[in-house]
Amino acid sequence: MSGTMNAQLIDRSTAESYATWFKALSDPTRVQILNLLALAPGPMNVGEIVDRMGVGQSTVSHHLKLLADVRFVLRERQGTSMLYSINVACVACFPSAADAVMGRPRSAE
């Protein structure tokens, strides 16, 4: 068994949140969009993301909506365009969420 006996079970609400996060990451296009936004020097509009991803605008818009719904990306309206950027605070929680699910103790901060 890989867990430790001292680890605590995560509560139902936290488990539901983590499941939603992991579901959002279950599509390779969404993972690539997150990677693109994480590497971008600033916010990007849908057209810029489409150009870099090589998939259609409706596909990118759909995935961005799902990523924004779980707060992995932030949206900001600029004129008639919507700009997207990575939500660093939320994405920073990925490793600790995986550790919690696996029963690993939190790292010292």
Side-chain angles (χ1 to χ4, degrees):
M1 203 160 19
S2 62
T4 64
M5 295 304 290
N6 294 332
Q8 289 186 313
L9 285 174
I10 56 177
D11 61 72
R12 184 66 182 192
S13 176
T14 300
E16 289 170 354
S17 292
Y18 290 172
T20 302
W21 290 2
F22 296 139
K23 182 177 179 183
L25 295 174
S26 69
D27 185 280
T29 300
R30 288 193 290 271
V31 173
Q32 287 182 302
I33 289 171
L34 279 178
N35 179 242
L36 174 64
L37 292 173
L39 297 174
M44 299 177 74
N45 65 38
V46 172
E48 293 169 321
I49 297 168
V50 167
D51 290 344
R52 296 287 303 275
M53 296 294 302
V55 296
Q57 184 271 328
S58 62
T59 300
V60 168
S61 293
H62 169 74
H63 289 305
L64 285 168
K65 180 194 179 320
L66 294 173
L67 291 169
D69 286 348
V70 294
R71 299 182 319 265
F72 287 166
V73 299
L74 301 172
R75 296 182 275 210
E76 176 187 343
R77 182 162 300 280
Q78 187 174 56
T80 59
S81 294
M82 190 66 75
L83 298 178
Y84 294 87
S85 59
I86 195 85
N87 183 349
V88 176
C90 190
V91 174
C93 294
F94 289 163
S96 60
D99 285 342
V101 170
M102 296 307 298
R104 296 183 191 122
R106 295 180 97 177
S107 60
E109 296 179 19

